[in-house]
Amino acid sequence: MQDLIVQKYGGSSVANVERIKRVAGRIIETKEKGKKVVVVVSAMGDTTDELIDLAMKLNANPPSREMDMLLATGEQVSISLLAIAIQAKGHDVVSLTGAQCGIITSSVHKKARINDIQTYRIEKELAAGKIVIVAGFQGVDENRDITTLGRGGSDTSAVALAASLKAELCEIYTDVDGVYTADPRVVEEASKIDEISYQEVLEMASTGAKVLHPRSVEMAEKFKVPLVVRSSYNYNEGTIIKEEVKMEKVLVRGISLDENIAKISIFEVPDQPGIAFRLFSALAKSNIHVDMIVQNVNRTAVNDISFTIDVDELQEAVSVAQKFAFEVNAQKVEYDQGVAKLSVIGTGIVANAEIASKFFEALFELGINIQTISTSEIKISCLIDKERGKEAMVHIHKKFDM
Ligand code: ADP
Ligand code: ASP
Ligand code: MG
């Protein structure tokens, strides 16, 4: 759609009345430039965390369907308040929940995927000249049950809408000026990246840089959505994310740290064909995403298998692992929440042996033990002690002179 801009405002940008007013003003500025505007908003401030805490006080293992019902209310509060603020400034506006604007998802609660967006309602409102405010992070499945897209999922709502409506631009407004070489709240010297490729930012997002939801970047790349990350607090130019980015001899683009992971180890698993298949297909059936995998070869008839998962899925993953261990007669299952994954990201990293050695040297200089290493074309990751994660990130950022 010509002249259409999709803007997404994160939780901190709408955390209180003053900020909601400011965001309302910013949306109106865009509208007054002659653009059609669709806005996606997250829940105010820490609302989502607070709702989760409430549920956990009632039930240590709350049903996923009810969690989605609960968490989706956070975004419903912010869309209505933002619409009320915009209306107060004299502009036509309508707020819509995920269901109302036809965001149809899979039925996997707490991590649903968008399958389709039936855009006619949004198109009708835009045609009537209204600003459309959409609740991020939520949709409905084919039974009309409310679903959510995983923590940070409002970014994905925004990109999906931009793709379906063929917007000219999708702007992600947040509390930092753009994508940095490392989390600017941890690494003081981190610098803002002016332009970055979808692939590089996808690796950063998938390895813990929470500035963008990984799925949103995947979708932006797939549908070639022009994406910008910028601050809602100022007018600084943000980070442009696109297909090709000119290389200025920089190999390492960014460093990220994922502290939201856990390691599960299964000891003395019989050394037989089909064992890994059995374990990882059971995890896949439970929709548990497995990241790093190591199998220690014991030179006996048994091996130890370790893997990392998202900490939110720990309970479920441990129960799958325990069931598997019992069935194959493994010795025991242990888990460890005291781990973090530190990654260096950049196109061509793996082809350059010096980068890995510098990364490992930096960890050695701090006396940090590497538990697991994994690599891809554009990334090297190490699993380390969580307590030393931030310190390691700061040191490596210096070492690579970013
Ligand atoms: P929002 O509520 O706007 O979605 P998030 O908290 O999800 O905001 O994401 C923004 C935060 O991401 C920043 O405050 C910053 O601390 C963190 N972050 C982590 N890694 C990076 C990075 N490489 N560049 C920018 N921000 C990062
Ligand atoms: N409110 C949701 C969360 O806190 C979604 C989002 O902010 O993107 O995870
Ligand atoms: Mg976010």
Side-chain angles (χ1 to χ4, degrees), residues 179 192-198 200-201 227 237-248 250 253:
V179 179
K192 199 192 84 197
I193 301 171
D194 293 332
E195 290 189 351
I196 187 166
S197 68
Y198 291 118
E200 287 173 316
V201 90
L227 199 59
E237 277 181 34
T239 300
I240 297 171
I241 299 157
K242 56 185 195 182
E243 203 95 44
E244 288 291 326
V245 170
K246 47 182 188 315
M247 296 295 300
E248 310 125 353
V250 220
R253 273 289 186 172

Short mmCIF file of all heavy atoms in Angstrom, two decimals, residues 179 192-198 200-201 227 237-248 250 253:
data_model
loop_
_atom_site.label_atom_id
_atom_site.label_comp_id
_atom_site.label_asym_id
_atom_site.label_seq_id
_atom_site.Cartn_x
_atom_site.Cartn_y
_atom_site.Cartn_z
N VAL A 179 20.52 -0.52 16.69
CA VAL A 179 21.25 -1.76 17.00
C VAL A 179 22.70 -1.36 17.24
O VAL A 179 23.31 -0.67 16.43
CB VAL A 179 21.15 -2.76 15.83
CG1 VAL A 179 21.94 -4.02 16.15
CG2 VAL A 179 19.69 -3.08 15.52
N LYS A 192 26.73 2.55 17.91
CA LYS A 192 25.55 2.30 17.08
C LYS A 192 25.97 1.89 15.68
O LYS A 192 26.90 2.46 15.13
CB LYS A 192 24.68 3.55 17.03
CG LYS A 192 23.27 3.25 16.59
CD LYS A 192 22.50 4.50 16.27
CE LYS A 192 22.77 4.92 14.85
NZ LYS A 192 22.39 6.31 14.58
N ILE A 193 25.29 0.90 15.12
CA ILE A 193 25.58 0.44 13.77
C ILE A 193 24.61 1.18 12.83
O ILE A 193 23.40 1.15 13.06
CB ILE A 193 25.38 -1.09 13.67
CG1 ILE A 193 26.29 -1.82 14.68
CG2 ILE A 193 25.62 -1.59 12.26
CD1 ILE A 193 26.02 -3.31 14.82
N ASP A 194 25.14 1.84 11.80
CA ASP A 194 24.26 2.61 10.91
C ASP A 194 23.44 1.71 9.99
O ASP A 194 22.26 1.93 9.78
CB ASP A 194 25.06 3.60 10.07
CG ASP A 194 25.67 4.68 10.96
OD1 ASP A 194 25.07 4.98 12.00
OD2 ASP A 194 26.74 5.20 10.61
N GLU A 195 24.13 0.69 9.44
CA GLU A 195 23.45 -0.24 8.53
C GLU A 195 23.92 -1.65 8.83
O GLU A 195 25.10 -1.88 9.07
CB GLU A 195 23.83 0.08 7.07
CG GLU A 195 23.27 1.36 6.56
CD GLU A 195 23.49 1.53 5.07
OE1 GLU A 195 24.22 0.73 4.46
OE2 GLU A 195 22.89 2.47 4.52
N ILE A 196 23.00 -2.58 8.78
CA ILE A 196 23.38 -3.98 9.04
C ILE A 196 22.49 -4.88 8.19
O ILE A 196 21.35 -4.51 7.87
CB ILE A 196 23.30 -4.28 10.57
CG1 ILE A 196 23.84 -5.68 10.90
CG2 ILE A 196 21.88 -4.11 11.10
CD1 ILE A 196 24.09 -5.90 12.39
N SER A 197 23.02 -6.03 7.81
CA SER A 197 22.24 -6.93 6.95
C SER A 197 21.23 -7.73 7.80
O SER A 197 21.42 -7.92 8.99
CB SER A 197 23.16 -7.89 6.21
OG SER A 197 23.76 -8.78 7.12
N TYR A 198 20.19 -8.19 7.14
CA TYR A 198 19.19 -9.04 7.83
C TYR A 198 19.89 -10.22 8.51
O TYR A 198 19.59 -10.56 9.64
CB TYR A 198 18.19 -9.61 6.81
CG TYR A 198 17.24 -8.61 6.19
CD1 TYR A 198 17.25 -8.39 4.82
CD2 TYR A 198 16.30 -7.94 6.95
CE1 TYR A 198 16.36 -7.51 4.22
CE2 TYR A 198 15.40 -7.05 6.37
CZ TYR A 198 15.43 -6.84 5.00
OH TYR A 198 14.56 -5.97 4.42
N GLU A 200 22.99 -10.67 9.57
CA GLU A 200 23.80 -10.35 10.75
C GLU A 200 22.91 -10.00 11.95
O GLU A 200 23.15 -10.46 13.06
CB GLU A 200 24.76 -9.19 10.44
CG GLU A 200 25.91 -9.63 9.55
CD GLU A 200 26.77 -8.46 9.09
OE1 GLU A 200 26.20 -7.42 8.69
OE2 GLU A 200 27.99 -8.58 9.12
N VAL A 201 21.89 -9.21 11.70
CA VAL A 201 21.04 -8.81 12.83
C VAL A 201 20.21 -10.01 13.31
O VAL A 201 19.93 -10.15 14.49
CB VAL A 201 20.19 -7.57 12.48
CG1 VAL A 201 18.89 -7.92 11.87
CG2 VAL A 201 19.98 -6.70 13.69
N LEU A 227 13.43 -2.13 7.16
CA LEU A 227 13.27 -2.08 8.60
C LEU A 227 14.24 -1.06 9.20
O LEU A 227 15.40 -0.99 8.79
CB LEU A 227 13.61 -3.48 9.12
CG LEU A 227 13.16 -3.94 10.48
CD1 LEU A 227 11.65 -3.88 10.59
CD2 LEU A 227 13.63 -5.39 10.72
N GLU A 237 19.06 9.39 13.92
CA GLU A 237 18.85 8.36 12.89
C GLU A 237 19.12 7.00 13.52
O GLU A 237 20.06 6.85 14.29
CB GLU A 237 19.78 8.61 11.72
CG GLU A 237 19.17 9.64 10.78
CD GLU A 237 20.03 9.91 9.57
OE1 GLU A 237 20.68 8.97 9.10
OE2 GLU A 237 20.02 11.06 9.14
N GLY A 238 18.32 6.05 13.17
CA GLY A 238 18.48 4.73 13.78
C GLY A 238 19.39 3.83 12.97
O GLY A 238 20.31 4.29 12.29
N THR A 239 19.13 2.54 13.07
CA THR A 239 19.87 1.54 12.30
C THR A 239 18.99 1.03 11.17
O THR A 239 17.85 0.63 11.41
CB THR A 239 20.26 0.35 13.20
OG1 THR A 239 21.07 0.83 14.26
CG2 THR A 239 21.00 -0.72 12.43
N ILE A 240 19.54 1.06 9.96
CA ILE A 240 18.79 0.54 8.81
C ILE A 240 19.17 -0.92 8.61
O ILE A 240 20.36 -1.26 8.58
CB ILE A 240 19.13 1.36 7.54
CG1 ILE A 240 18.69 2.82 7.76
CG2 ILE A 240 18.48 0.76 6.30
CD1 ILE A 240 19.17 3.76 6.68
N ILE A 241 18.16 -1.76 8.47
CA ILE A 241 18.43 -3.19 8.27
C ILE A 241 17.98 -3.55 6.87
O ILE A 241 16.83 -3.30 6.50
CB ILE A 241 17.69 -4.02 9.32
CG1 ILE A 241 18.20 -3.61 10.71
CG2 ILE A 241 17.91 -5.52 9.10
CD1 ILE A 241 17.25 -3.91 11.80
N LYS A 242 18.90 -4.07 6.08
CA LYS A 242 18.55 -4.38 4.69
C LYS A 242 19.38 -5.56 4.19
O LYS A 242 20.16 -6.13 4.93
CB LYS A 242 18.74 -3.14 3.83
CG LYS A 242 20.12 -2.53 3.90
CD LYS A 242 20.17 -1.25 3.11
CE LYS A 242 21.60 -0.84 2.86
NZ LYS A 242 21.73 0.40 2.14
N GLU A 243 19.15 -5.86 2.91
CA GLU A 243 19.76 -7.04 2.32
C GLU A 243 21.29 -7.00 2.32
O GLU A 243 21.95 -7.80 2.95
CB GLU A 243 19.28 -7.15 0.87
CG GLU A 243 19.36 -8.55 0.31
CD GLU A 243 18.03 -9.25 0.46
OE1 GLU A 243 16.99 -8.64 0.18
OE2 GLU A 243 18.04 -10.41 0.88
N GLU A 244 21.81 -6.02 1.58
CA GLU A 244 23.26 -5.93 1.37
C GLU A 244 23.80 -4.72 2.11
O GLU A 244 23.23 -3.65 2.06
CB GLU A 244 23.56 -5.74 -0.12
CG GLU A 244 23.32 -6.98 -0.96
CD GLU A 244 24.32 -8.08 -0.65
OE1 GLU A 244 25.49 -7.76 -0.35
OE2 GLU A 244 23.92 -9.26 -0.71
N VAL A 245 24.92 -4.92 2.77
CA VAL A 245 25.52 -3.79 3.46
C VAL A 245 26.98 -3.74 3.05
O VAL A 245 27.65 -4.76 3.00
CB VAL A 245 25.39 -3.97 4.99
CG1 VAL A 245 26.23 -2.95 5.71
CG2 VAL A 245 23.94 -3.87 5.40
N LYS A 246 27.42 -2.53 2.70
CA LYS A 246 28.82 -2.45 2.25
C LYS A 246 29.75 -2.79 3.41
O LYS A 246 29.56 -2.36 4.53
CB LYS A 246 29.14 -1.07 1.65
CG LYS A 246 28.66 0.11 2.48
CD LYS A 246 28.97 1.42 1.80
CE LYS A 246 28.69 2.62 2.65
NZ LYS A 246 27.48 2.71 3.41
N MET A 247 30.74 -3.62 3.10
CA MET A 247 31.66 -4.06 4.14
C MET A 247 32.81 -3.07 4.26
O MET A 247 33.49 -2.78 3.30
CB MET A 247 32.23 -5.44 3.79
CG MET A 247 31.19 -6.54 3.74
SD MET A 247 30.48 -6.83 5.35
CE MET A 247 31.93 -7.29 6.27
N GLU A 248 33.00 -2.56 5.44
CA GLU A 248 34.11 -1.61 5.63
C GLU A 248 35.24 -2.34 6.34
O GLU A 248 35.73 -1.89 7.37
CB GLU A 248 33.66 -0.43 6.48
CG GLU A 248 32.38 0.21 6.02
CD GLU A 248 31.33 0.27 7.13
OE1 GLU A 248 31.56 -0.30 8.21
OE2 GLU A 248 30.28 0.87 6.88
N VAL A 250 35.11 -4.55 8.24
CA VAL A 250 34.78 -5.01 9.59
C VAL A 250 34.33 -6.45 9.47
O VAL A 250 33.41 -6.75 8.72
CB VAL A 250 33.57 -4.26 10.21
CG1 VAL A 250 33.79 -3.98 11.65
CG2 VAL A 250 33.17 -3.07 9.42
N ARG A 253 30.84 -7.76 13.65
CA ARG A 253 29.81 -6.73 13.66
C ARG A 253 29.27 -6.48 15.06
O ARG A 253 28.90 -5.38 15.41
CB ARG A 253 28.62 -7.23 12.84
CG ARG A 253 28.73 -6.95 11.44
CD ARG A 253 28.55 -5.49 11.25
NE ARG A 253 28.52 -5.22 9.84
CZ ARG A 253 28.21 -4.04 9.36
NH1 ARG A 253 27.93 -3.07 10.18
NH2 ARG A 253 28.20 -3.86 8.09
#
